[in-house]
Amino acid sequence: MKKISAIAAMALLPLACAALDKGEIFDSNGIRYQVIESSEPSSNEVMVCSPTDREYLLPIQEDGTILIPTHVEYDGVTYTVSTIEEGTFINEPRLLSISLPNTITAIGRDNFSECTNLNTLDLSQVTISSPLEVTDCPALRHLILPDTQNETMF
């Protein structure tokens, strides 16, 4: 009986480490992620989800920063964080500074609107081609762009 149980457990092991399907959502370290279609077939990518109706609070540190990782692991699978959903940071008064990692290739519009206390927005590691809106951020003093980014970013 033990031999059969061990074989059955080994057969189920690959299922426990299988990537989630596109559209599935999970939380890790206080951030909600959604699995998205990857640009590379062998890669697993996720998007940072907007806290719709503030159903959950972003894990903003006491110093007003938030850490968006380059990769996140869930159920034994590593995902690349490549996208920030539209409105993720909108109207977030606790946010003072944000630096996005080099894995980010898409940022939804209105992400930085109405962040009244946002002082520093560091996009120096980001490679995106879609326009961004940064409005109603009266405290914004430091906007750091990549050296190679074209003027159409804003």
Side-chain angles (χ1 to χ4, degrees), residues 45-91:
E45 293 184 18
V46 292
M47 149 176 87
V48 175
C49 293
S50 172
T52 309
D53 297 324
R54 297 292 180 218
E55 63 192 33
Y56 80 99
L57 292 176
L58 291 168
I60 297 173
Q61 307 298 313
E62 287 183 28
D63 66 357
T65 61
I66 185 169
L67 174 65
I68 304 295
T70 57
H71 296 86
V72 63
E73 188 172 317
Y74 185 76
D75 277 351
V77 177
T78 300
Y79 296 88
T80 300
V81 180
S82 66
T83 304
I84 308 290
E85 184 178 30
E86 182 174 335
T88 299
F89 307 112
I90 193 169
N91 195 22

Side-chain angles (χ1 to χ4, degrees), residues 66 68 89 95-100 112 118 120-123:
I66 185 169
I68 304 295
F89 307 112
L95 189 61
L96 303 180
S97 177
I98 186 165
S99 178
L100 296 177
F112 307 107
L118 182 64
T120 303
L121 178 56
D122 184 350
L123 302 174

Side-chain angles (χ1 to χ4, degrees), residues 15 17-26 33-38 43-47 74-75 77 79:
L15 294 176
C17 294
L20 297 172
D21 291 332
K22 179 183 164 195
E24 290 194 60
I25 296 173
F26 64 91
Y33 299 94
Q34 182 175 13
V35 178
I36 59 174
E37 190 169 328
S38 176
S43 176
N44 298 308
E45 293 184 18
V46 292
M47 149 176 87
Y74 185 76
D75 277 351
V77 177
Y79 296 88

